[in-house]
Amino acid sequence: MAATSTRLYCFTGGSVGPWRVDAVLPVIGMALVKPQRLAVSPASTTPPAPHSWQLSGITSNDRYVERTEKLALLNKQEGLGRPASTHAALIPIRKSAAWWALTQDERRDIFERQSAHIGIGMKYLPKIARRLHHCRDLGHDQPFDFLTWFEYAPEDSKAFDDLLAALRTSPEWAYVDWEVDIRLTFDFG
Ligand code: HEM
């Protein structure tokens, strides 16, 4: 059943795919091998050979967002696949055991009251479009906890970097123990 779920996405770094890999930057922890191209496919597919790595994640229900925040997000955000969004970032993230040992209310407190993750993120909508994929519930063989995906126009690259800088200095990021920043350009050629 899981293999046919449309909530499951695979990110395959290798020699095929419409996204050219411009950079693979280790932010915290180990780097990943830099492939030439990235393919994003819904559901679990046989990885095209040769490939460097394949990461999977599933979209899911919200964990932290409250009703007023959800309405504000829905009001401001735009979807993926906009023609002007020729730049993208895949940022796989793992959080520490200390994070996962917290209770839901403790995590929410760090996520929004202390770190303003949504408050900061809102300022960058609709320039940055995003999709969050969870990996933990797929089992133990996934190296990361989250695969975060962002799309934006080239002129919004600086805004995206500012957003990352703000989040990475927040208390929430003290719990991030592995993060890789993969930058991409849409290029069918
Ligand atoms: C574009 C602006 C952004 C907005 C509006 C935004 C908004 C959100 C929201 C609403 C959630 C919570 C979803 C829930 O309730 O479960 C969330 C979770 C998350 N976001 Fe963002 N975000 C943004 C940018 C980013 C960036 C740039 C990163 C990574 C570098 C990131 C990484 C994450 C992660 C890892 C989670 C999951 C946190 C957890 O469950 O522990 N977000 N984001």
Side-chain angles (χ1 to χ4, degrees):
M1 188 65 193
T4 58
S5 167
T6 52
R7 294 195 292 123
L8 180 64
Y9 290 85
C10 289
F11 296 83
T12 307
S15 54
V16 297
W19 295 96
R20 187 182 71 227
V21 179
D22 297 323
V24 176
L25 311 161
V27 182
I28 305 166
M30 272 191 317
L32 290 177
V33 168
K34 179 177 176 294
Q36 282 179 293
R37 319 280 307 181
L38 182 88
V40 185
S41 53
S44 173
T45 48
T46 310
H51 70 283
S52 305
W53 40 258
Q54 187 174 56
L55 300 170
S56 302
I58 196 157
T59 58
S60 187
N61 56 285
D62 293 328
R63 268 52 165 187
Y64 302 111
V65 84
E66 294 180 350
R67 177 58 57 193
T68 47
E69 293 162 345
K70 187 166 180 121
L71 290 173
L73 286 163
L74 289 172
N75 208 25
K76 217 175 162 199
Q77 68 194 13
E78 290 181 3
L80 301 179
R82 295 172 296 185
S85 294
T86 56
H87 283 205
L90 169 65
I91 306 185
I93 286 177
R94 189 180 71 187
K95 284 185 170 174
S96 64
W99 174 263
W100 296 110
L102 296 170
T103 59
Q104 186 68 19
D105 57 324
E106 290 167 334
R107 286 196 291 263
R108 159 75 202 188
D109 188 79
I110 295 164
F111 178 83
E112 196 56 29
R113 194 185 63 77
Q114 298 181 36
S115 304
H117 185 124
I118 300 171
I120 292 170
M122 280 285 294
K123 293 189 216 154
Y124 295 86
L125 302 182
K127 285 182 179 159
I128 314 295
R130 68 189 217 287
R131 189 167 64 211
L132 175 64
H133 311 80
H134 293 255
C135 315
R136 278 172 77 79
D137 294 345
L138 292 178
H140 292 296
D141 54 347
Q142 291 301 316
F144 294 95
D145 293 328
F146 306 99
L147 305 177
T148 63
W149 175 261
F150 306 93
E151 293 178 2
Y152 48 92
E155 59 269 27
D156 293 324
S157 299
K158 164 83 170 60
F160 186 63
D161 287 338
D162 292 347
L163 163 64
L164 287 176
L167 289 177
R168 285 176 181 153
T169 51
S170 71
E172 182 193 358
W173 247 253
Y175 295 89
V176 172
D177 69 4
W178 193 9
E179 178 178 5
V180 185
D181 188 336
I182 303 167
R183 298 301 178 97
L184 308 145
T185 302
F186 195 74
D187 157 35
F188 252 117

